[in-house]
Amino acid sequence: MIVCSNCGKENQDHYKFCLGCGSDLPRGEQEDQSSDMPTPTPPSGTPTASEETSPPPPAPTTEDEAVPAPAPESTPDSKPETEPTAEPEAAPPTSTPPKTAPTDAVEEQEPAGKTEPAGPVTDAGAADDQTAPQGLRCESCGSAIQEGFAFCGSCGTPVPGVSPPISEPPAAKTEPGARLVLIQPDGTEGGHVDIPTSEVAIGRDAGGFFGNDPFLSPTHAVFHLDGEDVHAKDSGSLNGLFVKIKPNNPVEIQSGDIFRIGQELIQFEEIDRGTRAADGTEKMGSPMEGLWGRVALIVGRDRLGNAFPIGGDGIVMGRERGNILFPEDGYVSGVHVKLYTSENKFYLSDLGSSNGTFLKVQKETTLTAGSFLLMGQQLFRIDL
Protein backbone atom coordinates (compact mmCIF):
# COMPACT_ATOMS: atom_id res chain seq x y z
CA MET A 1 0.00 0.00 0.00
CA ILE A 2 1.11 3.60 -0.68
CA VAL A 3 0.16 6.27 1.91
CA CYS A 4 -0.43 9.76 0.46
CA SER A 5 1.91 12.25 2.06
CA ASN A 6 -0.69 15.01 1.54
CA CYS A 7 -3.93 13.59 2.96
CA GLY A 8 -2.89 10.23 4.47
CA LYS A 9 -5.12 8.18 2.18
CA GLU A 10 -4.02 4.57 1.60
CA ASN A 11 -3.74 3.67 -2.11
CA GLN A 12 -2.91 0.50 -4.04
CA ASP A 13 0.73 -0.03 -4.94
CA HIS A 14 0.15 0.45 -8.67
CA TYR A 15 -1.72 3.81 -8.30
CA LYS A 16 0.17 6.90 -9.41
CA PHE A 17 -2.28 9.43 -7.97
CA CYS A 18 -4.05 9.58 -4.61
CA LEU A 19 -7.74 8.64 -4.62
CA GLY A 20 -8.37 11.07 -1.79
CA CYS A 21 -6.82 14.31 -3.06
CA GLY A 22 -5.39 13.52 -6.51
CA SER A 23 -1.77 14.29 -5.51
CA ASP A 24 1.18 12.44 -7.06
CA LEU A 25 2.07 9.35 -5.04
CA PRO A 26 5.74 8.90 -4.07
CA ARG A 27 7.93 6.72 -6.30
CA GLY A 28 10.61 4.33 -5.02
CA GLU A 29 11.08 0.74 -4.16
CA GLN A 30 7.35 0.22 -4.00
CA GLU A 31 7.07 1.29 -7.67
CA ASP A 32 9.90 -1.08 -8.64
CA GLN A 33 8.23 -3.92 -6.76
CA SER A 34 4.89 -3.22 -8.32
CA SER A 35 6.44 -3.22 -11.79
CA ASP A 36 7.63 -6.86 -11.19
CA MET A 37 4.10 -8.00 -10.34
CA PRO A 38 2.39 -9.95 -13.07
CA THR A 39 -0.29 -8.03 -14.93
CA PRO A 40 -3.71 -9.64 -14.40
CA THR A 41 -5.72 -10.52 -17.43
CA PRO A 42 -8.71 -8.13 -17.77
CA PRO A 43 -12.24 -9.65 -17.77
CA SER A 44 -12.70 -8.71 -21.42
CA GLY A 45 -9.67 -10.77 -22.49
CA THR A 46 -6.20 -10.04 -23.69
CA PRO A 47 -6.04 -6.70 -25.55
CA THR A 48 -5.13 -6.65 -29.21
CA ALA A 49 -1.97 -5.17 -30.58
CA SER A 50 -3.67 -1.84 -31.30
CA GLU A 51 -4.88 -1.64 -27.71
CA GLU A 52 -1.54 -2.53 -26.04
CA THR A 53 -0.28 1.03 -26.50
CA SER A 54 -2.74 2.29 -23.88
CA PRO A 55 -3.70 -0.49 -21.46
CA PRO A 56 -6.70 0.21 -19.20
CA PRO A 57 -6.09 0.55 -15.47
CA PRO A 58 -6.92 -2.43 -13.27
CA ALA A 59 -10.37 -2.71 -11.75
CA PRO A 60 -10.75 -1.10 -8.33
CA THR A 61 -11.32 -3.21 -5.27
CA THR A 62 -14.47 -3.11 -3.20
CA GLU A 63 -12.75 -0.76 -0.82
CA ASP A 64 -12.43 1.98 -3.45
CA GLU A 65 -15.40 1.45 -5.79
CA ALA A 66 -17.63 3.98 -3.96
CA VAL A 67 -15.38 6.88 -4.93
CA PRO A 68 -14.10 6.93 -8.54
CA ALA A 69 -10.62 8.20 -9.15
CA PRO A 70 -10.75 11.85 -10.23
CA ALA A 71 -8.89 13.17 -13.25
CA PRO A 72 -5.65 14.75 -12.11
CA GLU A 73 -5.13 18.43 -12.58
CA SER A 74 -3.07 19.18 -15.65
CA THR A 75 -0.09 21.31 -14.85
CA PRO A 76 2.89 22.29 -16.99
CA ASP A 77 5.30 20.50 -14.61
CA SER A 78 3.61 17.13 -14.24
CA LYS A 79 1.57 15.07 -16.72
CA PRO A 80 0.36 11.50 -16.33
CA GLU A 81 2.39 8.96 -18.23
CA THR A 82 -0.70 7.22 -19.54
CA GLU A 83 -4.38 8.20 -19.96
CA PRO A 84 -7.21 5.73 -19.30
CA THR A 85 -9.16 4.88 -22.44
CA ALA A 86 -12.12 3.02 -20.95
CA GLU A 87 -14.10 2.89 -17.75
CA PRO A 88 -12.92 -0.01 -15.54
CA GLU A 89 -15.47 -2.66 -14.78
CA ALA A 90 -16.48 -3.05 -11.16
CA ALA A 91 -15.38 -6.07 -9.23
CA PRO A 92 -18.06 -8.66 -8.41
CA PRO A 93 -19.87 -7.93 -5.15
CA THR A 94 -18.96 -9.77 -1.99
CA SER A 95 -20.96 -10.60 1.06
CA THR A 96 -19.31 -7.76 2.91
CA PRO A 97 -20.87 -4.34 2.08
CA PRO A 98 -18.38 -1.95 0.47
CA LYS A 99 -16.79 0.73 2.51
CA THR A 100 -17.58 4.34 1.63
CA ALA A 101 -15.21 7.22 1.64
CA PRO A 102 -15.59 9.86 4.32
CA THR A 103 -17.88 12.76 3.49
CA ASP A 104 -15.07 15.28 3.69
CA ALA A 105 -13.08 13.28 1.14
CA VAL A 106 -15.98 13.37 -1.31
CA GLU A 107 -16.39 17.13 -0.90
CA GLU A 108 -12.71 17.70 -1.64
CA GLN A 109 -13.00 16.13 -5.10
CA GLU A 110 -13.39 18.66 -7.90
CA PRO A 111 -13.34 17.93 -11.63
CA ALA A 112 -10.26 19.20 -13.41
CA GLY A 113 -10.58 22.71 -14.81
CA LYS A 114 -13.74 23.58 -12.83
CA THR A 115 -13.76 27.09 -11.35
CA GLU A 116 -16.10 28.88 -9.01
CA PRO A 117 -18.60 31.40 -10.55
CA ALA A 118 -17.44 35.01 -10.42
CA GLY A 119 -20.54 36.21 -8.61
CA PRO A 120 -24.11 35.32 -7.63
CA VAL A 121 -26.55 34.35 -10.39
CA THR A 122 -29.09 37.11 -11.07
CA ASP A 123 -32.51 37.13 -12.77
CA ALA A 124 -33.16 37.61 -16.48
CA GLY A 125 -33.13 41.38 -16.07
CA ALA A 126 -29.38 41.23 -15.41
CA ALA A 127 -28.78 41.29 -19.14
CA ASP A 128 -30.32 44.73 -19.27
CA ASP A 129 -27.91 45.94 -16.60
CA GLN A 130 -25.01 45.54 -19.02
CA THR A 131 -26.45 48.30 -21.20
CA ALA A 132 -28.12 50.42 -18.49
CA PRO A 133 -26.20 52.75 -16.17
CA GLN A 134 -25.70 51.53 -12.61
CA GLY A 135 -28.80 52.26 -10.51
CA LEU A 136 -30.97 53.63 -13.37
CA ARG A 137 -34.23 51.78 -12.85
CA CYS A 138 -37.93 52.57 -13.32
CA GLU A 139 -39.59 54.06 -10.25
CA SER A 140 -42.83 52.18 -11.01
CA CYS A 141 -41.84 48.63 -12.03
CA GLY A 142 -38.10 48.48 -11.21
CA SER A 143 -37.05 47.47 -14.73
CA ALA A 144 -33.61 48.52 -15.95
CA ILE A 145 -33.65 51.54 -18.30
CA GLN A 146 -31.06 52.03 -21.02
CA GLU A 147 -29.12 55.25 -21.15
CA GLY A 148 -30.84 58.01 -23.09
CA PHE A 149 -34.34 56.49 -22.82
CA ALA A 150 -37.01 58.99 -21.72
CA PHE A 151 -39.59 56.32 -20.86
CA CYS A 152 -39.55 52.86 -19.28
CA GLY A 153 -39.71 50.16 -21.94
CA SER A 154 -41.80 47.89 -19.66
CA CYS A 155 -44.50 50.20 -18.26
CA GLY A 156 -44.04 53.53 -20.10
CA THR A 157 -43.33 55.63 -16.98
CA PRO A 158 -41.33 58.82 -17.78
CA VAL A 159 -37.74 58.87 -16.56
CA PRO A 160 -37.09 61.85 -14.24
CA GLY A 161 -34.64 64.38 -15.65
CA VAL A 162 -34.67 62.96 -19.20
CA SER A 163 -36.49 64.96 -21.87
CA PRO A 164 -38.20 63.04 -24.69
CA PRO A 165 -36.91 63.69 -28.19
CA ILE A 166 -38.64 66.46 -30.08
CA SER A 167 -40.75 64.97 -32.85
CA GLU A 168 -41.02 66.53 -36.24
CA PRO A 169 -44.23 68.51 -36.84
CA PRO A 170 -46.76 66.74 -39.06
CA ALA A 171 -46.45 67.45 -42.72
CA ALA A 172 -48.73 70.12 -44.05
CA LYS A 173 -51.94 68.83 -45.59
CA THR A 174 -51.65 68.76 -49.34
CA GLU A 175 -54.32 68.99 -51.97
CA PRO A 176 -56.86 67.64 -52.32
CA GLY A 177 -58.01 68.61 -48.83
CA ALA A 178 -61.73 67.87 -49.18
CA ARG A 179 -63.90 65.12 -50.64
CA LEU A 180 -67.42 64.74 -51.94
CA VAL A 181 -68.43 61.26 -50.73
CA LEU A 182 -71.33 59.29 -52.18
CA ILE A 183 -73.66 57.78 -49.54
CA GLN A 184 -75.53 54.72 -50.76
CA PRO A 185 -79.13 53.86 -49.69
CA ASP A 186 -77.84 51.39 -47.07
CA GLY A 187 -75.66 54.10 -45.49
CA THR A 188 -72.30 52.84 -46.79
CA GLU A 189 -69.85 54.90 -48.82
CA GLY A 190 -69.95 54.32 -52.57
CA GLY A 191 -66.97 56.34 -53.82
CA HIS A 192 -65.71 59.92 -53.65
CA VAL A 193 -64.46 62.89 -55.65
CA ASP A 194 -61.60 65.11 -54.49
CA ILE A 195 -62.31 68.84 -54.15
CA PRO A 196 -59.20 70.99 -54.76
CA THR A 197 -58.75 74.73 -54.27
CA SER A 198 -59.50 75.24 -57.94
CA GLU A 199 -63.07 74.79 -59.18
CA VAL A 200 -64.19 71.30 -60.14
CA ALA A 201 -67.45 70.64 -62.01
CA ILE A 202 -69.74 67.78 -60.97
CA GLY A 203 -72.42 66.34 -63.24
CA ARG A 204 -73.41 63.57 -65.58
CA ASP A 205 -70.45 64.34 -67.86
CA ALA A 206 -68.08 63.48 -64.98
CA GLY A 207 -68.90 59.80 -65.54
CA GLY A 208 -68.62 57.13 -62.88
CA PHE A 209 -71.51 57.07 -60.45
CA PHE A 210 -72.58 60.51 -61.74
CA GLY A 211 -73.13 59.21 -65.27
CA ASN A 212 -75.84 56.75 -64.16
CA ASP A 213 -78.19 59.39 -62.67
CA PRO A 214 -80.60 60.78 -65.31
CA PHE A 215 -81.72 63.55 -62.94
CA LEU A 216 -78.23 65.12 -62.99
CA SER A 217 -77.46 67.77 -65.60
CA PRO A 218 -74.25 67.34 -67.65
CA THR A 219 -72.65 70.09 -65.54
CA HIS A 220 -74.74 70.18 -62.39
CA ALA A 221 -72.72 72.08 -59.75
CA VAL A 222 -69.26 73.53 -59.13
CA PHE A 223 -67.19 73.04 -55.95
CA HIS A 224 -63.91 74.43 -54.63
CA LEU A 225 -62.02 74.43 -51.34
CA ASP A 226 -61.26 77.65 -49.46
CA GLY A 227 -59.38 77.05 -46.21
CA GLU A 228 -61.60 74.86 -44.03
CA ASP A 229 -64.77 75.50 -46.05
CA VAL A 230 -66.12 74.11 -49.29
CA HIS A 231 -68.01 76.50 -51.56
CA ALA A 232 -70.73 75.13 -53.83
CA LYS A 233 -73.00 76.73 -56.41
CA ASP A 234 -75.61 75.47 -58.85
CA SER A 235 -74.53 75.60 -62.48
CA GLY A 236 -78.05 76.22 -63.79
CA SER A 237 -79.06 72.57 -63.44
CA LEU A 238 -82.61 71.45 -64.19
CA ASN A 239 -83.29 69.83 -60.82
CA GLY A 240 -81.09 71.94 -58.55
CA LEU A 241 -78.67 71.44 -55.65
CA PHE A 242 -80.16 70.80 -52.19
CA VAL A 243 -78.39 71.16 -48.81
CA LYS A 244 -79.61 69.42 -45.66
CA ILE A 245 -80.65 71.75 -42.80
CA LYS A 246 -79.79 70.83 -39.23
CA PRO A 247 -82.65 69.30 -37.20
CA ASN A 248 -84.44 71.59 -34.73
CA ASN A 249 -82.39 74.53 -35.99
CA PRO A 250 -84.75 76.87 -37.91
CA VAL A 251 -83.42 78.55 -41.06
CA GLU A 252 -84.90 81.64 -42.65
CA ILE A 253 -86.46 81.21 -46.10
CA GLN A 254 -87.72 83.60 -48.75
CA SER A 255 -90.77 83.61 -50.98
CA GLY A 256 -90.11 81.29 -53.91
CA ASP A 257 -87.73 78.94 -52.02
CA ILE A 258 -88.02 75.21 -52.68
CA PHE A 259 -87.41 72.42 -50.15
CA ARG A 260 -87.56 68.64 -50.25
CA ILE A 261 -88.88 66.08 -47.75
CA GLY A 262 -88.82 62.43 -48.77
CA GLN A 263 -89.74 62.37 -52.48
CA GLU A 264 -91.81 65.56 -52.27
CA LEU A 265 -90.69 68.86 -53.81
CA ILE A 266 -92.47 71.81 -52.21
CA GLN A 267 -92.37 75.52 -53.03
CA PHE A 268 -93.17 78.27 -50.55
CA GLU A 269 -94.75 81.58 -51.60
CA GLU A 270 -95.70 84.61 -49.57
CA ILE A 271 -99.29 85.75 -50.08
CA ASP A 272 -99.83 89.36 -51.20
CA ARG A 273 -101.51 91.01 -48.22
CA GLY A 274 -103.25 93.72 -50.22
CA THR A 275 -100.40 95.98 -51.17
CA ARG A 276 -101.30 98.91 -53.36
CA ALA A 277 -99.89 99.85 -56.73
CA ALA A 278 -97.56 102.81 -57.11
CA ASP A 279 -100.48 105.06 -57.96
CA GLY A 280 -102.42 103.97 -54.87
CA THR A 281 -104.87 101.55 -56.51
CA GLU A 282 -105.68 98.40 -54.55
CA LYS A 283 -105.64 94.99 -56.27
CA MET A 284 -108.86 92.98 -56.21
CA GLY A 285 -109.05 89.45 -54.93
CA SER A 286 -110.90 87.05 -52.63
CA PRO A 287 -110.69 87.88 -48.91
CA MET A 288 -107.86 85.97 -47.15
CA GLU A 289 -108.01 87.13 -43.57
CA GLY A 290 -105.19 85.74 -41.42
CA LEU A 291 -103.35 83.99 -44.26
CA TRP A 292 -99.73 84.93 -44.96
CA GLY A 293 -98.42 82.21 -47.29
CA ARG A 294 -98.95 78.99 -49.17
CA VAL A 295 -97.08 75.84 -50.17
CA ALA A 296 -97.51 74.05 -53.49
CA LEU A 297 -96.24 70.70 -54.76
CA ILE A 298 -93.94 70.78 -57.77
CA VAL A 299 -95.11 68.13 -60.25
CA GLY A 300 -92.92 69.08 -63.21
CA ARG A 301 -90.87 71.87 -64.76
CA ASP A 302 -92.71 75.16 -64.12
CA ARG A 303 -95.75 73.15 -63.05
CA LEU A 304 -97.38 73.26 -59.65
CA GLY A 305 -99.83 70.80 -58.18
CA ASN A 306 -102.00 71.09 -55.10
CA ALA A 307 -101.56 74.25 -53.02
CA PHE A 308 -102.24 74.74 -49.31
CA PRO A 309 -102.73 78.11 -47.56
CA ILE A 310 -100.78 78.95 -44.41
CA GLY A 311 -101.97 81.18 -41.61
CA GLY A 312 -101.82 81.63 -37.89
CA ASP A 313 -98.91 79.80 -36.21
CA GLY A 314 -97.89 77.96 -39.38
CA ILE A 315 -98.24 74.36 -40.56
CA VAL A 316 -96.73 70.94 -39.81
CA MET A 317 -96.11 68.35 -42.53
CA GLY A 318 -95.53 64.61 -42.09
CA ARG A 319 -96.65 61.13 -43.01
CA GLU A 320 -98.95 60.50 -40.03
CA ARG A 321 -99.60 63.74 -38.13
CA GLY A 322 -99.78 67.40 -39.06
CA ASN A 323 -101.72 69.83 -41.24
CA ILE A 324 -100.46 68.35 -44.53
CA LEU A 325 -99.93 64.58 -44.80
CA PHE A 326 -98.05 62.40 -47.31
CA PRO A 327 -99.19 58.89 -46.29
CA GLU A 328 -97.83 57.20 -49.42
CA ASP A 329 -94.27 58.50 -49.11
CA GLY A 330 -92.24 56.09 -46.96
CA TYR A 331 -89.28 58.55 -46.83
CA VAL A 332 -91.34 61.13 -44.92
CA SER A 333 -91.31 60.79 -41.11
CA GLY A 334 -94.50 60.70 -39.06
CA VAL A 335 -93.92 64.35 -38.06
CA HIS A 336 -91.33 65.81 -40.42
CA VAL A 337 -91.11 69.63 -40.76
CA LYS A 338 -92.72 72.89 -39.64
CA LEU A 339 -93.07 76.15 -41.55
CA TYR A 340 -93.95 79.29 -39.56
CA THR A 341 -93.56 83.09 -39.40
CA SER A 342 -92.13 85.38 -36.73
CA GLU A 343 -91.65 89.15 -36.86
CA ASN A 344 -92.55 89.22 -40.57
CA LYS A 345 -89.90 86.60 -41.40
CA PHE A 346 -90.45 83.01 -42.52
CA TYR A 347 -88.71 79.97 -41.06
CA LEU A 348 -88.36 76.30 -41.91
CA SER A 349 -87.51 73.84 -39.10
CA ASP A 350 -86.83 70.10 -39.39
CA LEU A 351 -88.49 68.28 -36.45
CA GLY A 352 -85.86 65.53 -36.12
CA SER A 353 -86.93 63.51 -39.15
CA SER A 354 -85.11 60.31 -40.14
CA ASN A 355 -84.16 61.37 -43.67
CA GLY A 356 -83.87 65.12 -43.16
CA THR A 357 -85.13 68.27 -44.86
CA PHE A 358 -83.18 69.72 -47.81
CA LEU A 359 -83.31 73.34 -48.94
CA LYS A 360 -82.52 74.23 -52.54
CA VAL A 361 -79.42 76.42 -53.02
CA GLN A 362 -80.27 79.69 -54.79
CA LYS A 363 -76.77 81.17 -54.74
CA GLU A 364 -73.24 80.12 -53.77
CA THR A 365 -73.27 78.51 -50.33
CA THR A 366 -70.65 77.47 -47.79
CA LEU A 367 -70.42 73.84 -46.68
CA THR A 368 -68.50 72.54 -43.65
CA ALA A 369 -67.26 69.07 -42.73
CA GLY A 370 -70.19 66.67 -42.35
CA SER A 371 -72.60 68.65 -44.53
CA PHE A 372 -75.05 66.55 -46.58
CA LEU A 373 -76.43 67.49 -49.99
CA LEU A 374 -78.68 66.06 -52.68
CA MET A 375 -77.94 66.17 -56.38
CA GLY A 376 -80.33 64.31 -58.66
CA GLN A 377 -81.32 61.12 -56.83
CA GLN A 378 -78.04 60.76 -54.92
CA LEU A 379 -76.96 61.76 -51.42
CA PHE A 380 -73.45 63.12 -50.75
CA ARG A 381 -71.39 64.14 -47.71
CA ILE A 382 -68.56 66.69 -47.43
CA ASP A 383 -65.39 65.37 -45.76
CA LEU A 384 -62.42 67.60 -44.85
Side-chain angles (χ1 to χ4, degrees):
M1 301 295 289
I2 302 175
V3 179
C4 177
S5 60
N6 185 35
C7 65
K9 174 73 175 180
E10 293 182 352
N11 298 273
Q12 296 293 326
D13 294 336
H14 59 274
Y15 285 179
K16 296 181 175 60
F17 303 95
C18 176
L19 290 180
C21 64
S23 301
D24 291 343
L25 295 176
R27 301 289 188 270
E29 295 179 357
Q30 294 176 342
E31 181 177 359
D32 297 335
Q33 295 176 3
S34 62
S35 60
D36 297 334
M37 297 176 61
T39 303
T41 302
S44 57
T46 305
T48 61
S50 61
E51 296 175 341
E52 289 179 356
T53 56
S54 57
T61 61
T62 56
E63 178 180 358
D64 302 317
E65 73 176 274
V67 182
E73 291 186 357
S74 58
T75 60
D77 298 332
S78 62
K79 292 185 179 180
E81 296 179 2
T82 59
E83 293 290 340
T85 59
E87 287 288 332
E89 293 184 6
T94 60
S95 59
T96 306
K99 297 180 181 181
T100 58
T103 305
D104 55 351
V106 175
E107 292 179 352
E108 290 178 359
Q109 300 181 57
E110 287 292 339
K114 182 177 179 181
T115 58
E116 292 294 331
V121 178
T122 59
D123 56 12
D128 294 336
D129 293 340
Q130 297 177 1
T131 57
Q134 185 69 20
L136 185 58
R137 291 187 173 272
C138 177
E139 297 180 351
S140 298
C141 65
S143 299
I145 302 173
Q146 296 187 19
E147 184 178 1
F149 279 34
F151 299 91
C152 174
S154 300
C155 66
T157 302
V159 178
V162 179
S163 300
I166 301 175
S167 58
E168 293 293 333
K173 194 174 183 180
T174 59
E175 293 186 15
R179 288 180 173 182
L180 182 66
V181 182
L182 173 66
I183 306 300
Q184 301 187 105
D186 60 358
T188 60
E189 297 181 3
H192 70 272
V193 175
D194 295 324
I195 303 176
T197 54
S198 58
E199 290 189 347
V200 57
I202 301 298
R204 200 170 64 249
D205 285 350
F209 47 78
F210 298 107
N212 299 325
D213 190 343
F215 294 96
L216 284 176
S217 296
T219 302
H220 199 99
V222 174
F223 297 82
H224 74 275
L225 177 65
D226 183 12
E228 296 295 326
D229 298 325
V230 172
H231 294 271
K233 62 181 178 181
D234 195 325
S235 296
S237 65
L238 178 62
N239 293 308
L241 171 66
F242 292 80
V243 177
K244 184 179 181 180
I245 66 175
K246 295 180 180 180
N248 300 309
N249 187 15
V251 295
E252 184 180 356
I253 60 175
Q254 306 295 327
S255 180
D257 280 349
I258 298 173
F259 60 95
R260 179 172 174 175
I261 61 172
Q263 296 294 326
E264 314 301 326
L265 279 178
I266 305 170
Q267 184 179 43
F268 166 73
E269 290 181 343
E270 180 184 5
I271 293 179
D272 185 355
R273 302 182 183 183
T275 57
R276 298 183 180 184
D279 59 3
T281 306
E282 293 185 4
K283 187 175 182 180
M284 295 181 64
S286 299
M288 294 181 294
E289 296 295 332
L291 299 179
W292 46 265
R294 71 169 187 170
V295 290
L297 299 180
I298 298 176
V299 295
R301 185 170 186 179
D302 299 328
R303 290 191 301 148
L304 299 179
N306 294 341
F308 305 90
I310 308 173
D313 296 334
I315 58 171
V316 173
M317 290 173 274
R319 191 180 71 251
E320 298 173 351
R321 300 187 302 276
N323 307 101
I324 303 175
L325 302 180
F326 304 96
E328 304 299 327
D329 193 335
Y331 295 96
V332 176
S333 295
V335 179
H336 200 109
V337 69
K338 181 178 182 179
L339 198 159
Y340 65 96
T341 183
S342 177
E343 299 179 355
N344 295 323
K345 294 182 179 180
F346 309 106
Y347 297 93
L348 188 67
S349 178
D350 184 89
L351 301 178
S353 63
S354 299
N355 295 308
T357 301
F358 294 81
L359 183 63
K360 185 178 181 180
V361 173
Q362 301 291 354
K363 56 184 179 180
E364 183 173 307
T365 187
T366 300
L367 305 174
T368 56
S371 296
F372 287 90
L373 56 147
L374 280 171
M375 290 188 295
Q377 288 289 83
Q378 300 180 95
L379 176 66
F380 299 89
R381 184 186 70 231
I382 295 294
D383 284 354
L384 291 174

